Amino acid sequence: MEIIAKNQLQERHLHAYTEYADTSLRHYLKLALSIVVCICIRAKSVTVHLPLELQHPKVYKNLDRGSHFIDFGEFLKKTFGINLYWENAPLLNYGTWNLKFGQTEWIRISKKIDICLDTGHLILGAKSATLARKRILKVITERGNQIKHLHISENDFVYDQHKRPKKIITKKLLKVITKNRTFIYER
């Protein structure tokens, strides 16, 4: 059994092992394992999904549980001197990969953590390419200094398809959002 799946490591940026549920002990164990792997393979960074409690506070009511998980990740980040980024990853329906509870609600996301902005996730639920671009620029404007890394992809507004930028993310927009940030074209 391989410890790193093909889609977990891209251009030496590691995607943490993930749970798609309320924050539990499994989240802590998977994050710790991901950081050990990050250190062992000398990855450039590890990206972790933001806790569902903070992304969907109307559905997952225990905000403290999500905040404690972020505190744990930030403690490990400082202790081991690694680049750890928190990704906007709203809950998707398994198999179809469309939004289950809507977009990430940024109001509960700390302004003191480093973010991996996933453009494909932000595009989900938009009504048009213009509105998707506006949403991306709004988050870039509001969270600019926090955004250190990007997962760049686009989709059909409904399903998280991880398509290369073509119709929604223009060359001009790409230049703006990638300035002074690391990024991958997420597969």
Side-chain angles (χ1 to χ4, degrees):
M1 181 175 120
E2 293 183 28
I3 194 158
I4 304 171
K6 287 180 183 176
N7 63 345
Q8 272 185 289
L9 185 65
Q10 199 173 334
E11 297 175 37
R12 295 191 50 230
H13 292 280
L14 181 69
H15 200 296
Y17 301 101
T18 303
E19 286 287 312
Y20 300 96
D22 303 52
T23 303
S24 67
L25 178 60
R26 291 177 62 91
H27 285 78
Y28 287 82
L29 295 172
K30 286 185 174 186
L31 177 54
L33 176 61
S34 298
I35 288 174
V36 168
V37 170
C38 177
I39 293 166
C40 289
I41 67 170
R42 294 188 172 118
K44 294 177 183 177
S45 69
V46 62
T47 298
V48 186
H49 287 181
L50 284 160
L52 293 176
E53 291 87 354
L54 301 179
Q55 293 189 90
H56 302 296
K58 292 176 187 140
V59 178
Y60 296 92
K61 305 289 185 190
N62 194 336
L63 298 178
D64 286 343
R65 186 179 289 168
S67 295
H68 290 306
F69 181 61
I70 285 184
D71 290 344
F72 176 71
E74 291 296 300
F75 169 76
L76 293 176
K77 172 184 176 174
K78 288 179 183 131
T79 300
F80 295 105
I82 60 168
N83 293 319
L84 184 142
Y85 308 126
W86 297 94
E87 178 184 359
N88 58 306
L91 191 59
L92 304 177
N93 289 304
Y94 184 77
T96 56
W97 311 117
N98 59 324
L99 290 171
K100 188 165 187 168
F101 299 122
Q103 271 294 330
T104 297
E105 294 185 34
W106 289 92
I107 190 124
R108 301 283 185 218
I109 309 304
S110 169
K111 293 196 175 187
K112 296 179 181 179
I113 59 174
D114 292 336
I115 299 217
C116 167
L117 185 65
D118 188 305
T119 62
H121 292 164
L122 267 184
I123 290 168
L124 290 170
K127 301 292 183 203
S128 69
T130 301
L131 292 174
R133 284 185 211 104
K134 284 182 181 180
R135 186 183 288 169
I136 292 167
L137 286 171
K138 180 177 190 255
V139 175
I140 289 285
T141 301
E142 291 176 356
R143 300 292 182 133
N145 292 336
Q146 279 185 274
I147 301 168
K148 307 292 187 202
H149 185 64
L150 296 117
H151 286 176
I152 300 172
S153 69
E154 59 184 51
N155 53 57
D156 65 357
F157 310 115
V158 179
Y159 306 106
D160 192 24
Q161 300 164 314
H162 294 168
K163 292 181 180 178
R164 291 276 296 205
K166 187 176 180 181
K167 297 178 181 177
I168 300 166
I169 301 173
T170 63
K171 288 181 181 180
K172 182 179 176 184
L173 178 59
L174 190 61
K175 187 176 180 180
V176 168
I177 67 176
T178 59
K179 185 176 182 181
N180 299 320
R181 296 180 176 100
T182 59
F183 63 94
I184 60 169
Y185 292 103
E186 193 169 30
R187 6 175 228 252

